[in-house]
Amino acid sequence: MKPFIAPSILAADFANIQSEVEMLNSSEADFIHVDIMDGLFVPNISFGIPVTEAIQQHAQKPLDVHLMIQNPDQYLEAFRKAGASIITVHYEACTHLQRTLQAIRQLGAKAGVAINPHTPVELLIDVLEDIDVVIIMSVNPGFGGQKFIENTYSKVKRLHSMILEKGTETLIEIDGGVNLENAPKLLSEGADILVAGSFVFSAPDPVQTIGELKSITMV
């Protein structure tokens, strides 16, 4: 099965955001990944609800909204209204994770959980039934263009085994430093969705690069 590709709009040219979104519409991308950063949970500020709404106005692909923020519960409904098809919160930011996941599903969105590089996947075992997507951060969150963390492979493998054991349909998404070199092994270990930011938007031909990611097979 081909991987799902989710280009990260954070790496796009925001002076030409409409044309960048239209470029993704014409590509083989499956989702548009939208990184929301508050400068508190992560050491960077990206954008919020108005920009998400602007992206949605032009998008023909589902928005995969990744909330790298504190207190995500108070913004779930707003991001759903802004166009999010998937809403992902961080394990590290949620005191009552299962309640948050249920709230996302009640809004009609897919519920995702992201885990930072230092967070073991085993901590999700008791809530896998409530999770549609797990984002494994393969860089430390906050900035694009970072180097891929090699330990990610073993985390993907362990999480994939947990999903099989539980019998859920949870998808595994990889966010950070994904390229044509590491993608085949990530898929072989069980990854389903590949997020790519600077690798796509810095390419001479982003549409071609997305197509190359989409056509990757396991090693």
Side-chain angles (χ1 to χ4, degrees), residues 42-213:
V42 292
N44 195 12
I45 297 174
S46 58
F47 46 80
I49 296 162
V51 173
T52 304
E53 291 174 337
I55 293 168
Q56 171 63 14
Q57 286 178 11
H58 304 290
Q60 296 172 8
K61 313 279 186 176
L63 299 191
D64 173 23
V65 175
H66 179 186
L67 300 181
M68 289 180 268
I69 62 175
Q70 293 182 356
N71 303 315
D73 296 75
Q74 61 186 301
Y75 299 106
L76 300 177
E77 185 174 359
F79 276 105
R80 175 60 176 154
K81 288 181 178 178
S85 295
I86 304 171
I87 300 176
T88 296
V89 297
H90 265 262
Y91 172 88
E92 302 85 1
C94 295
T95 304
H96 303 287
L97 180 59
Q98 188 176 41
R99 182 186 301 166
T100 301
L101 295 169
Q102 291 173 344
I104 294 171
R105 284 181 165 179
Q106 287 170 0
L107 290 169
K110 297 290 187 181
V113 176
I115 56 173
N116 285 336
H118 69 275
T119 302
V121 296
E122 286 78 11
L123 293 173
L124 301 178
I125 188 68
D126 292 324
V127 288
L128 269 182
E129 291 89 346
D130 300 295
I131 305 174
D132 296 300
V133 180
V134 174
I135 294 182
I136 294 180
M137 294 301 301
S138 43
V139 299
N140 287 293
F143 298 94
Q146 297 184 67
K147 185 179 178 182
F148 180 84
I149 296 173
E150 295 292 321
N151 186 51
T152 303
Y153 298 120
S154 64
K155 292 181 75 171
V156 175
K157 185 175 183 177
R158 298 200 310 273
L159 178 57
H160 183 61
S161 296
M162 288 164 52
I163 291 169
L164 292 177
E165 178 186 335
K166 283 283 189 176
T168 69
E169 297 182 0
T170 310
L171 299 178
I172 300 175
E173 182 169 344
I174 310 302
D175 186 357
V178 172
N179 56 40
L180 293 172
E181 294 181 7
N182 54 35
K185 187 173 180 180
L186 288 168
L187 298 177
S188 295
E189 298 293 8
D192 303 289
I193 306 172
L194 303 177
V195 176
S198 55
F199 183 70
V200 165
F201 286 96
S202 298
D205 187 340
V207 171
Q208 178 181 331
T209 299
I210 292 169
E212 290 172 349
L213 285 168

